[in-house]
Amino acid sequence: SCPRCQHALYASSAKWKGPCAWPSFRKPIADSSISCRPVEGYNKYTCKVAEVYCGGCRLFVGHKFQDAEEKGDSGPDCTGWRH
């Protein structure tokens, strides 16, 4: 949930073991749970990257990357994105 307004962002059922220490999620609870803004040339990443904001109060809550499959996510629930 959002640390500022407690708006629900992700369900624990959407969590998977990603490549970093932060939790990785496949998708938000609902499309309205978050809003995103594309980022061009983010660090060393060659995949698509977007900034993620809370759908309730617009607080910046992180990034999402379109590299989930190459980072180990697979199966029918994989969206290709890791949040």
Side-chain angles (χ1 to χ4, degrees), residues 2 4-5 32-35 52-61:
C2 174
R4 179 190 289 160
C5 72
S32 61
S33 297
I34 62 171
S35 63
V52 178
Y53 297 88
C54 172
C57 68
R58 305 293 184 238
L59 177 71
F60 173 75
V61 293

Side-chain angles (χ1 to χ4, degrees), residues 17-80:
K17 178 71 173 131
C20 62
W22 297 102
S24 293
F25 295 91
R26 292 182 173 101
K27 62 183 180 180
I29 287 179
D31 290 341
S32 61
S33 297
I34 62 171
S35 63
C36 299
R37 185 179 74 106
V39 177
E40 297 296 326
Y42 182 75
N43 206 352
K44 64 184 184 299
Y45 292 93
T46 56
C47 64
K48 290 182 181 177
V49 179
E51 293 177 342
V52 178
Y53 297 88
C54 172
C57 68
R58 305 293 184 238
L59 177 71
F60 173 75
V61 293
H63 291 90
K64 70 178 191 173
F65 305 86
Q66 196 175 31
D67 66 354
E69 291 168 342
E70 61 190 71
K71 297 294 184 184
D73 193 16
S74 62
D77 294 331
C78 178
T79 62

